[in-house]
Amino acid sequence: MRRRSSGALAAVIAVAAVTGIAQLLEPYVDSVSLLMLYLIVVLPVAVIWGTALAVGTSLLSVAVYAILFAPPPYALHLIDAQNAVALGVFLITAVVVGTLASRLQRTAQISERLTEEQSALRRVATLVARSVSPPEVFEAVTREVGLLCGADLARMERYEVDGTVTGVAAWSRVPVHLTVGTRIELDGLSVAREVRRSGEPVRLASFAGETGAIAREARGLGIRSSVGCPIVVSGRLWGVIAASTKSDERFPDKTEAQIASFTELVATAIENAEARSELRASRARIVATADRTRRRIERDLHDGAQQQLVALALQVRAVQALIPDGAGEARGELDRIADGLSEALDELREMARGIHPALLAELGLVPAIKALARRSPQAVDLDVRADGRLPESIEVGAYYVVAEALTNAAKHSGADSVAVSVETRDDLLHIAVHDDGVGGADFARGTGLAGLKDRVEALGGRIFLRSAPGDGTTLNAEFPLSGQGG
């Protein structure tokens, strides 16, 4: 009503203004031309306030013209036939032009809304395609829904198994505090409660007199009405997104459909995140199983084959001591057997260290890396700034990063020296290994680096390789220290 009243007042003022202009031009312009001036009023009224008010403005214009300008003036009932025809043609023309202008305006508005909606969907879809974190998608979707729906506030909530909801994102046109990150009881009227009951989009016209935490918050924020849609992920009701307004005007009928198009993107983002999480967990389990197998093999070698070789070497030496001095050939043969057993024992110990070094399990990452540096055929500049024990999975992963890098430097790079840096910083374990060799290393070549990449990423880390031909090779790895088991 306020909009119609303001439109009617604006139309009357505009007709009065054009009438004043027509009176100034009357001595110089014929009366029919003066009548056309009123189209200047009809067109903007049709565009801004619609066809109905444009028709009313046309009738008012005809009446004012007939009274003031059609001869004889101030005698509407005595208009001659020519002027009556002119007034009729003007009225029809004004109505037709006003109707067309109003329709064109509505078409332009619809097209603009569709463009805005498609642009908003495209922005969110881009985030989903880039596999950004779900919280970023939640915030983006909530903001886009609020802006697109012309809402004052918008929020997204996740249903919990205990019957509560947790706010995961919120947006507002004005600075207000919206509950995010805490659980809220569904003990009164709310969009979240009604969506959970029905599994369908809902509208709430008022929160007046209602109880419950969300209803009290809505009244405190001045919310008059809300509309919300469910978020369904893999066939289960995951959450709800709602838009709210402080205005008395209700949301358009297509609001639910607009919001629903965003909930599908939210569901896709959640499904992608869950799939990535499951894949990461699966890879971590595979790596952990392989590490347990390595430890078992190492223990079996240490407690079984190595001990047997040591015992055999001692027995050979004992038998050798019993041989008379004159049996030099037999004594020499036993010497060769004892030396062979010692060499086999050394090779077996080296193999056991490669499978899973006992030093790593007993003393931790730093002593194990120092042992790698001592055994390296290249000169190793070691810079270690990591104190204490780290989570076992991180220590094992970091050890194999350094071991693989040193092995590649020795076998393939032709490097003279290698620099190894190990540092804990910003809740991350940073590892950098640089050699001055020929470069040209690639994750796609060979299984060593590819397996190393899988191991690092399975632990939630990242690994980078720079190896331009002729410029050496730099391997960087980062492991997150938080959220890792010991």
Coordinates of all heavy atoms in Angstrom, one line a residue, residues 301-381:
L301 N 64.0 -60.2 11.3 CA 65.4 -60.3 10.8 C 66.3 -60.1 12.0 O 67.4 -60.8 12.1 CB 65.6 -59.2 9.8 CG 65.0 -59.4 8.4 CD1 65.2 -58.2 7.5 CD2 65.5 -60.6 7.7
H302 N 66.0 -59.2 12.9 CA 67.0 -58.9 14.0 C 67.0 -60.1 15.0 O 68.0 -60.5 15.4 CB 66.5 -57.6 14.7 CG 67.4 -57.3 15.9 ND1 67.2 -57.8 17.1 CD2 68.5 -56.5 15.9 CE1 68.1 -57.3 18.0 NE2 69.0 -56.5 17.3
D303 N 65.8 -60.6 15.3 CA 65.7 -61.6 16.3 C 66.0 -63.0 15.7 O 66.3 -64.0 16.5 CB 64.3 -61.6 17.0 CG 64.0 -60.3 17.7 OD1 65.0 -59.6 18.0 OD2 62.9 -60.0 17.9
G304 N 65.8 -63.2 14.4 CA 65.9 -64.5 13.8 C 67.2 -64.6 13.0 O 68.2 -65.1 13.5
A305 N 67.2 -64.1 11.7 CA 68.3 -64.4 10.8 C 69.6 -63.8 11.3 O 70.7 -64.4 11.2 CB 67.9 -63.8 9.4
Q306 N 69.5 -62.5 11.8 CA 70.8 -61.9 12.3 C 71.4 -62.7 13.5 O 72.6 -62.9 13.5 CB 70.5 -60.4 12.7 CG 70.2 -59.5 11.6 CD 70.1 -58.0 12.1 OE1 71.1 -57.5 12.5 NE2 68.9 -57.5 11.9
Q307 N 70.5 -63.1 14.4 CA 71.1 -63.8 15.6 C 71.7 -65.1 15.1 O 72.7 -65.6 15.7 CB 69.9 -64.0 16.6 CG 69.4 -62.7 17.2 CD 70.4 -61.9 17.9 OE1 71.4 -62.5 18.5 NE2 70.3 -60.6 17.8
Q308 N 71.0 -65.8 14.1 CA 71.6 -67.0 13.7 C 72.9 -66.8 13.0 O 73.9 -67.7 13.1 CB 70.6 -67.7 12.7 CG 69.3 -68.2 13.4 CD 68.3 -68.8 12.4 OE1 68.7 -69.2 11.3 NE2 67.1 -68.9 12.8
L309 N 73.0 -65.8 12.2 CA 74.3 -65.5 11.5 C 75.4 -65.2 12.5 O 76.6 -65.7 12.4 CB 74.1 -64.4 10.5 CG 73.4 -64.7 9.2 CD1 73.2 -63.4 8.4 CD2 74.1 -65.7 8.4
V310 N 75.1 -64.4 13.5 CA 76.0 -64.2 14.6 C 76.5 -65.4 15.3 O 77.7 -65.7 15.5 CB 75.5 -63.2 15.6 CG1 76.4 -63.1 16.8 CG2 75.3 -61.8 15.0
A311 N 75.5 -66.3 15.6 CA 75.8 -67.6 16.3 C 76.7 -68.5 15.4 O 77.7 -69.1 15.8 CB 74.5 -68.3 16.6
L312 N 76.4 -68.5 14.0 CA 77.2 -69.3 13.1 C 78.6 -68.8 13.0 O 79.6 -69.6 13.0 CB 76.5 -69.3 11.8 CG 75.3 -70.2 11.6 CD1 74.6 -70.0 10.2 CD2 75.6 -71.7 11.8
A313 N 78.8 -67.5 13.0 CA 80.1 -66.9 12.9 C 80.9 -67.2 14.1 O 82.1 -67.5 14.0 CB 80.0 -65.4 12.7
L314 N 80.3 -67.2 15.3 CA 81.0 -67.5 16.5 C 81.4 -69.0 16.5 O 82.5 -69.4 17.0 CB 80.1 -67.2 17.8 CG 79.8 -65.7 18.0 CD1 78.8 -65.6 19.2 CD2 81.1 -65.0 18.4
Q315 N 80.5 -69.9 16.0 CA 80.8 -71.3 16.0 C 82.0 -71.6 15.0 O 82.8 -72.4 15.3 CB 79.6 -72.1 15.5 CG 78.5 -72.1 16.6 CD 77.2 -72.8 16.0 OE1 77.2 -73.4 15.0 NE2 76.1 -72.7 16.8
V316 N 82.0 -70.9 13.9 CA 83.1 -71.0 12.9 C 84.4 -70.6 13.6 O 85.4 -71.3 13.5 CB 82.8 -70.2 11.7 CG1 84.1 -70.2 10.8 CG2 81.7 -70.8 10.9
R317 N 84.4 -69.5 14.3 CA 85.6 -69.0 15.0 C 86.0 -70.1 16.1 O 87.2 -70.3 16.2 CB 85.4 -67.7 15.6 CG 85.1 -66.5 14.7 CD 86.3 -66.3 13.7 NE 86.0 -65.2 12.8 CZ 86.8 -64.9 11.8 NH1 87.9 -65.7 11.5 NH2 86.5 -63.9 11.0
A318 N 85.0 -70.6 16.8 CA 85.4 -71.6 17.8 C 86.0 -72.9 17.2 O 87.0 -73.4 17.7 CB 84.1 -72.0 18.6
V319 N 85.4 -73.4 16.1 CA 86.0 -74.5 15.4 C 87.4 -74.2 14.8 O 88.3 -75.0 14.9 CB 85.0 -75.0 14.2 CG1 85.7 -76.0 13.4 CG2 83.7 -75.5 14.8
Q320 N 87.5 -73.0 14.3 CA 88.8 -72.6 13.8 C 89.9 -72.7 14.9 O 91.1 -73.0 14.6 CB 88.7 -71.2 13.3 CG 89.9 -70.7 12.5 CD 89.8 -69.3 12.0 OE1 89.1 -68.5 12.6 NE2 90.4 -69.0 10.9
A321 N 89.5 -72.3 16.1 CA 90.5 -72.4 17.2 C 90.9 -73.8 17.5 O 92.0 -74.0 18.1 CB 89.9 -71.7 18.4
L322 N 90.1 -74.8 17.2 CA 90.4 -76.2 17.5 C 91.3 -76.8 16.5 O 91.8 -77.9 16.7 CB 89.1 -77.0 17.7 CG 88.2 -76.5 18.8 CD1 86.9 -77.4 18.7 CD2 88.8 -76.7 20.1
I323 N 91.5 -76.2 15.3 CA 92.3 -76.8 14.3 C 93.8 -76.7 14.6 O 94.2 -75.6 14.9 CB 91.9 -76.2 12.9 CG1 90.5 -76.4 12.6 CG2 92.8 -76.6 11.8 CD1 90.0 -75.8 11.3
P324 N 94.5 -77.7 14.4 CA 96.0 -77.7 14.7 C 96.6 -76.7 13.7 O 96.2 -76.4 12.6 CB 96.4 -79.1 14.4 CG 95.2 -79.9 14.5 CD 94.1 -79.1 14.0
D325 N 97.8 -76.2 14.2 CA 98.5 -75.2 13.4 C 99.0 -75.8 12.0 O 99.1 -75.0 11.1 CB 99.8 -74.8 14.2 CG 99.4 -74.0 15.4 OD1 98.2 -73.5 15.5 OD2 100.2 -73.9 16.4
G326 N 99.1 -77.0 11.9 CA 99.6 -77.6 10.7 C 98.5 -77.6 9.6 O 98.8 -77.8 8.4
A327 N 97.3 -77.5 9.9 CA 96.2 -77.6 8.9 C 95.9 -76.2 8.4 O 94.8 -75.6 8.7 CB 95.0 -78.3 9.6
G328 N 96.8 -75.6 7.8 CA 96.6 -74.2 7.3 C 95.5 -74.0 6.3 O 94.8 -73.0 6.3
E329 N 95.4 -75.0 5.4 CA 94.3 -74.9 4.4 C 93.0 -74.9 5.0 O 92.1 -74.1 4.6 CB 94.5 -76.1 3.4 CG 93.5 -76.0 2.2 CD 93.7 -77.1 1.2 OE1 94.7 -77.8 1.3 OE2 92.9 -77.2 0.3
A330 N 92.7 -75.7 6.0 CA 91.4 -75.8 6.6 C 91.1 -74.5 7.4 O 90.0 -73.9 7.4 CB 91.3 -77.0 7.6
R331 N 92.2 -74.0 8.1 CA 92.1 -72.8 8.8 C 91.7 -71.6 7.9 O 90.9 -70.7 8.2 CB 93.3 -72.5 9.6 CG 93.2 -71.2 10.5 CD 94.6 -71.0 11.2 NE 94.9 -72.1 12.1 CZ 94.5 -72.0 13.4 NH1 93.8 -71.0 13.8 NH2 94.8 -73.0 14.2
G332 N 92.4 -71.5 6.7 CA 92.1 -70.5 5.8 C 90.6 -70.6 5.2 O 90.0 -69.5 5.0
E333 N 90.2 -71.8 5.0 CA 88.8 -72.0 4.5 C 87.8 -71.5 5.5 O 86.8 -70.8 5.2 CB 88.6 -73.4 4.2 CG 87.2 -73.7 3.5 CD 87.2 -73.1 2.1 OE1 88.2 -72.9 1.5 OE2 86.0 -72.7 1.7
L334 N 88.1 -71.8 6.8 CA 87.2 -71.3 7.9 C 87.2 -69.8 8.0 O 86.2 -69.1 8.3 CB 87.6 -71.9 9.2 CG 87.2 -73.4 9.3 CD1 87.7 -74.0 10.6 CD2 85.7 -73.7 9.2
D335 N 88.4 -69.2 7.7 CA 88.5 -67.7 7.7 C 87.6 -67.1 6.7 O 86.9 -66.1 6.9 CB 89.9 -67.3 7.4 CG 90.8 -67.2 8.7 OD1 90.2 -67.1 9.8 OD2 92.0 -67.3 8.6
R336 N 87.6 -67.7 5.5 CA 86.8 -67.2 4.4 C 85.3 -67.4 4.7 O 84.5 -66.5 4.4 CB 87.1 -67.9 3.1 CG 88.4 -67.5 2.5 CD 88.6 -68.0 1.0 NE 88.8 -69.5 1.1 CZ 89.9 -70.1 1.2 NH1 91.0 -69.4 1.4 NH2 90.0 -71.4 1.2
I337 N 84.9 -68.5 5.3 CA 83.5 -68.7 5.7 C 83.1 -67.7 6.8 O 82.0 -67.1 6.7 CB 83.3 -70.1 6.3 CG1 83.5 -71.1 5.2 CG2 81.9 -70.3 6.9 CD1 83.5 -72.6 5.6
A338 N 84.0 -67.4 7.8 CA 83.7 -66.4 8.8 C 83.5 -65.0 8.2 O 82.6 -64.3 8.6 CB 84.8 -66.5 9.9
D339 N 84.4 -64.7 7.3 CA 84.4 -63.4 6.6 C 83.1 -63.2 5.8 O 82.4 -62.2 5.8 CB 85.5 -63.1 5.7 CG 86.8 -63.0 6.5 OD1 86.7 -62.7 7.7 OD2 87.9 -63.1 5.9
G340 N 82.7 -64.3 5.1 CA 81.4 -64.3 4.4 C 80.2 -64.1 5.3 O 79.3 -63.4 4.9
L341 N 80.3 -64.8 6.4 CA 79.1 -64.6 7.4 C 79.1 -63.2 7.9 O 78.0 -62.6 8.0 CB 79.3 -65.6 8.5 CG 79.0 -67.1 8.2 CD1 79.4 -68.0 9.4 CD2 77.5 -67.3 7.9
S342 N 80.2 -62.6 8.1 CA 80.3 -61.2 8.6 C 79.7 -60.2 7.5 O 78.9 -59.3 7.8 CB 81.7 -60.8 9.0 OG 82.1 -61.6 10.1
E343 N 80.1 -60.5 6.3 CA 79.6 -59.6 5.2 C 78.1 -59.8 5.0 O 77.3 -58.8 4.9 CB 80.3 -60.0 3.9 CG 81.8 -59.6 3.9 CD 82.5 -60.0 2.6 OE1 81.8 -60.6 1.7 OE2 83.7 -59.7 2.5
A344 N 77.6 -61.1 5.1 CA 76.2 -61.3 5.0 C 75.4 -60.6 6.2 O 74.3 -60.1 6.0 CB 75.9 -62.8 5.0
L345 N 76.0 -60.7 7.4 CA 75.4 -60.0 8.5 C 75.3 -58.5 8.3 O 74.3 -57.9 8.6 CB 76.2 -60.4 9.8 CG 75.6 -59.8 11.1 CD1 74.2 -60.3 11.3 CD2 76.5 -60.2 12.3
D346 N 76.4 -57.9 7.8 CA 76.4 -56.5 7.5 C 75.3 -56.1 6.5 O 74.6 -55.1 6.7 CB 77.8 -56.0 7.1 CG 78.8 -56.1 8.2 OD1 78.4 -56.1 9.4 OD2 80.0 -56.1 7.8
E347 N 75.2 -56.9 5.4 CA 74.2 -56.6 4.4 C 72.8 -56.7 5.0 O 71.9 -56.0 4.7 CB 74.4 -57.5 3.2 CG 75.6 -57.3 2.4 CD 75.8 -58.2 1.2 OE1 74.8 -59.0 1.0 OE2 76.8 -58.2 0.5
L348 N 72.6 -57.8 5.8 CA 71.3 -58.0 6.4 C 71.0 -56.8 7.4 O 69.8 -56.4 7.4 CB 71.3 -59.3 7.2 CG 69.9 -59.8 7.7 CD1 69.0 -60.0 6.5 CD2 70.1 -61.1 8.5
R349 N 71.9 -56.3 8.1 CA 71.7 -55.2 9.0 C 71.3 -54.0 8.2 O 70.4 -53.2 8.6 CB 72.9 -54.9 9.9 CG 73.1 -55.9 11.0 CD 74.4 -55.8 11.7 NE 74.6 -56.6 12.9 CZ 75.7 -56.9 13.5 NH1 76.8 -56.3 13.0 NH2 75.7 -57.7 14.5
E350 N 72.0 -53.7 7.1 CA 71.7 -52.6 6.3 C 70.3 -52.7 5.7 O 69.6 -51.7 5.6 CB 72.8 -52.5 5.2 CG 72.7 -51.2 4.3 CD 73.0 -50.0 5.2 OE1 73.8 -50.1 6.2 OE2 72.5 -48.9 4.9
M351 N 70.0 -53.9 5.3 CA 68.6 -54.2 4.7 C 67.6 -53.9 5.8 O 66.5 -53.3 5.5 CB 68.5 -55.6 4.2 CG 67.2 -55.9 3.5 SD 67.1 -57.7 3.0 CE 68.6 -57.8 2.0
A352 N 67.9 -54.4 7.0 CA 66.9 -54.2 8.1 C 66.7 -52.7 8.4 O 65.6 -52.2 8.7 CB 67.4 -54.9 9.4
R353 N 67.8 -51.9 8.3 CA 67.7 -50.5 8.6 C 66.8 -49.8 7.5 O 66.1 -48.9 7.7 CB 69.1 -49.8 8.6 CG 69.8 -50.0 9.9 CD 70.9 -49.0 10.0 NE 72.0 -49.3 9.0 CZ 73.1 -50.0 9.3 NH1 73.2 -50.5 10.5 NH2 74.0 -50.3 8.4
G354 N 66.9 -50.3 6.2 CA 66.1 -49.8 5.1 C 64.7 -50.1 5.3 O 63.8 -49.4 4.9
I355 N 64.4 -51.3 5.8 CA 63.0 -51.7 6.0 C 62.3 -50.9 7.1 O 61.3 -50.3 6.9 CB 62.9 -53.2 6.4 CG1 63.4 -54.1 5.2 CG2 61.5 -53.6 6.8 CD1 63.5 -55.5 5.5
H356 N 62.9 -50.8 8.2 CA 62.4 -50.0 9.3 C 63.5 -49.9 10.4 O 63.7 -50.8 11.1 CB 61.1 -50.6 9.9 CG 60.5 -49.6 10.9 ND1 59.5 -48.7 10.5 CD2 60.6 -49.4 12.2 CE1 59.1 -48.0 11.5 NE2 59.8 -48.4 12.6
P357 N 64.2 -48.8 10.4 CA 65.4 -48.7 11.3 C 65.0 -48.8 12.8 O 64.1 -48.1 13.2 CB 66.0 -47.3 11.0 CG 64.8 -46.6 10.4 CD 64.0 -47.5 9.7
A358 N 65.6 -49.6 13.5 CA 65.4 -49.7 14.9 C 65.7 -48.4 15.7 O 65.0 -48.1 16.7 CB 66.2 -50.9 15.5
L359 N 66.7 -47.7 15.2 CA 67.0 -46.5 15.8 C 65.9 -45.5 15.8 O 65.7 -44.7 16.7 CB 68.3 -45.9 15.1 CG 68.9 -44.6 15.7 CD1 69.5 -45.0 17.1 CD2 70.0 -44.1 14.8
L360 N 65.1 -45.5 14.7 CA 64.0 -44.6 14.6 C 62.9 -44.9 15.7 O 62.4 -44.0 16.3 CB 63.3 -44.7 13.2 CG 62.1 -43.8 13.0 CD1 62.4 -42.3 13.0 CD2 61.5 -44.1 11.6
A361 N 62.6 -46.2 15.8 CA 61.6 -46.6 16.8 C 62.1 -46.3 18.2 O 61.3 -46.0 19.1 CB 61.3 -48.0 16.6
E362 N 63.4 -46.5 18.5 CA 63.9 -46.4 19.8 C 64.2 -45.0 20.3 O 63.9 -44.6 21.4 CB 65.2 -47.3 20.0 CG 64.9 -48.8 19.8 CD 66.2 -49.6 19.7 OE1 67.3 -48.9 19.8 OE2 66.1 -50.8 19.5
L363 N 64.9 -44.2 19.4 CA 65.3 -42.9 19.8 C 64.6 -41.7 19.1 O 64.7 -40.6 19.6 CB 66.8 -42.8 19.6 CG 67.7 -43.8 20.3 CD1 69.2 -43.6 20.0 CD2 67.5 -43.7 21.8
G364 N 64.0 -42.0 18.0 CA 63.2 -40.9 17.4 C 63.8 -40.4 16.1 O 64.8 -41.0 15.6
L365 N 63.2 -39.4 15.5 CA 63.5 -38.9 14.2 C 64.9 -38.3 14.1 O 65.7 -38.6 13.1 CB 62.5 -37.9 13.7 CG 62.7 -37.3 12.3 CD1 62.6 -38.3 11.2 CD2 61.7 -36.2 12.1
V366 N 65.3 -37.5 15.0 CA 66.5 -36.7 14.9 C 67.7 -37.7 14.9 O 68.6 -37.6 13.9 CB 66.7 -35.7 16.0 CG1 68.1 -35.0 15.9 CG2 65.6 -34.6 15.8
P367 N 67.9 -38.6 15.8 CA 69.0 -39.6 15.7 C 69.0 -40.4 14.5 O 70.1 -40.7 13.9 CB 68.8 -40.4 17.0 CG 68.1 -39.6 17.9 CD 67.1 -38.8 17.1
A368 N 67.8 -40.8 14.0 CA 67.7 -41.6 12.8 C 68.2 -40.9 11.6 O 68.9 -41.4 10.7 CB 66.3 -42.1 12.6
I369 N 67.8 -39.6 11.5 CA 68.3 -38.8 10.3 C 69.8 -38.5 10.4 O 70.5 -38.5 9.4 CB 67.5 -37.4 10.3 CG1 66.1 -37.7 9.8 CG2 68.2 -36.5 9.3 CD1 65.2 -36.5 9.8
K370 N 70.3 -38.3 11.6 CA 71.8 -38.1 11.7 C 72.5 -39.4 11.3 O 73.6 -39.3 10.7 CB 72.1 -37.8 13.2 CG 71.7 -36.4 13.6 CD 72.0 -36.1 15.0 CE 71.7 -34.7 15.4 NZ 72.0 -34.4 16.8
A371 N 71.9 -40.6 11.6 CA 72.5 -41.8 11.1 C 72.5 -41.9 9.6 O 73.5 -42.4 9.0 CB 71.8 -43.0 11.8
L372 N 71.4 -41.5 9.0 CA 71.3 -41.4 7.5 C 72.4 -40.6 7.0 O 73.1 -40.9 6.0 CB 70.0 -40.9 7.1 CG 68.8 -41.9 7.2 CD1 67.5 -41.2 6.8 CD2 69.0 -43.1 6.2
A373 N 72.6 -39.4 7.6 CA 73.6 -38.4 7.1 C 75.0 -39.0 7.2 O 75.8 -38.9 6.3 CB 73.5 -37.1 7.9
R374 N 75.3 -39.8 8.3 CA 76.6 -40.4 8.4 C 76.9 -41.4 7.4 O 78.0 -41.6 6.9 CB 76.8 -40.9 9.8 CG 76.9 -39.9 10.9 CD 77.4 -40.5 12.2 NE 76.4 -41.5 12.7 CZ 75.4 -41.2 13.6 NH1 75.3 -40.0 14.0 NH2 74.6 -42.2 14.0
R375 N 75.9 -42.2 7.0 CA 76.1 -43.3 6.0 C 76.1 -42.8 4.6 O 76.4 -43.5 3.7 CB 75.0 -44.3 6.2 CG 75.1 -45.0 7.5 CD 74.3 -46.4 7.5 NE 72.9 -46.2 7.1 CZ 71.9 -46.0 7.9 NH1 72.1 -45.9 9.2 NH2 70.7 -45.8 7.5
S376 N 75.7 -41.5 4.3 CA 75.5 -41.0 3.0 C 76.9 -40.9 2.3 O 77.9 -40.4 3.0 CB 74.8 -39.7 3.0 OG 74.9 -39.1 1.7
P377 N 77.1 -41.3 1.1 CA 78.4 -41.2 0.4 C 78.7 -39.7 0.1 O 79.9 -39.4 -0.1 CB 78.2 -42.0 -0.9 CG 76.8 -42.0 -1.1 CD 76.1 -42.0 0.2
Q378 N 77.7 -38.8 0.0 CA 78.0 -37.4 -0.2 C 78.1 -36.7 1.1 O 77.6 -37.2 2.2 CB 76.8 -36.7 -1.0 CG 76.7 -37.1 -2.4 CD 75.8 -38.3 -2.7 OE1 75.2 -38.8 -1.7 NE2 75.7 -38.7 -3.9
A379 N 78.7 -35.5 1.1 CA 78.8 -34.7 2.3 C 77.4 -34.1 2.6 O 76.8 -33.6 1.7 CB 79.8 -33.6 2.1
V380 N 77.0 -34.3 3.8 CA 75.6 -33.8 4.1 C 75.7 -32.7 5.2 O 76.3 -32.9 6.2 CB 74.8 -35.0 4.7 CG1 73.4 -34.5 5.2 CG2 74.6 -36.1 3.7
D381 N 75.1 -31.5 4.8 CA 75.0 -30.4 5.7 C 73.7 -30.5 6.4 O 72.6 -30.3 5.8 CB 75.2 -29.1 5.0 CG 75.1 -27.9 5.9 OD1 75.1 -28.1 7.1 OD2 74.9 -26.8 5.4

